[in-house]
Amino acid sequence: MTDRAALSDLVHRYAANVDDRQFDSVTALFTATAELTLPDPPTSLQPSHSHRGQQAIAAAVAAVTRVVRTQHAIVGEVYDEGPRPASARGRIACIAHHWTQRASDADEMVDVVWHLRYDDEYEATEAGWRISRRALTINAIETLPVRRVLPRDS
């Protein structure tokens, strides 16, 4: 039970740190040799681009700075023992909002919503549980109109 709570805390901290754009804190949640595999939406919704090591992961995650604001909502978590001692696996369901100014109209804001899942592998380290592998799959993308977004500096 303690491990499940720690794993849940890990994935929620990842989401909060991405939304807060605390990229150093995001990368600290990964092992030194971790791999993050991301899709290339809207062309590809399945994991296709691999980023290895904390520096590459930091650069990949920092791509969210291209949007006005993000908000990740963890809506499901399933954890299992991993294939080795001190390892675990997780399947995390998430809805990620990406509030974006339309390039064609600076006054128009949209919410690009990703319904996604993370397929994770975790390792227990001296610093606690860390992500050793994360693959993001987007199950659906929807675009919604937005009336107003709280500025980043609020």
Side-chain angles (χ1 to χ4, degrees):
M1 194 60 150
T2 303
D3 287 337
R4 186 191 187 310
L7 291 168
S8 181
D9 183 65
L10 176 67
V11 300
H12 283 270
R13 284 185 187 281
Y14 172 91
N17 289 337
V18 169
D19 292 342
D20 292 342
R21 298 178 185 204
Q22 301 291 323
F23 304 123
D24 289 341
S25 297
V26 170
T27 56
L29 301 174
F30 287 84
T31 64
T33 59
E35 176 183 21
L36 174 64
T37 307
L38 302 173
D40 185 21
T43 306
S44 168
L45 301 182
Q46 295 182 324
S48 57
H49 298 296
S50 183
H51 308 274
R52 293 181 191 273
Q54 291 179 331
Q55 190 171 20
I57 290 169
V61 174
V64 302
T65 61
R66 291 183 284 208
V67 301
V68 173
R69 182 180 284 279
T70 59
Q71 181 173 326
H72 290 73
I74 307 295
V75 296
E77 305 167 62
V78 177
Y79 302 102
D80 294 303
E81 288 184 23
R84 300 169 311 283
S87 71
R89 289 188 173 146
R91 181 178 172 125
I92 311 304
C94 180
I95 299 170
H97 296 269
H98 304 83
W99 291 292
T100 307
Q101 302 251 222
R102 282 220 190 247
S104 59
D105 184 354
D107 292 330
E108 186 179 5
M109 182 85 61
V110 294
D111 181 6
V112 180
V113 184
W114 292 1
H115 299 268
L116 62 91
R117 80 167 189 268
Y118 295 111
D119 292 301
D120 291 345
E121 294 179 14
Y122 313 102
E123 288 181 21
T125 70
E126 289 182 13
W129 284 100
R130 294 294 180 258
I131 302 167
S132 59
R133 185 176 184 286
R134 172 164 267 197
L136 188 160
T137 300
I138 301 172
N139 294 318
I141 299 173
E142 59 183 325
T143 303
L144 306 169
V146 174
R147 182 178 302 169
R148 191 170 173 199
V149 173
L150 183 68
R152 289 268 343 130
D153 57 357
S154 296

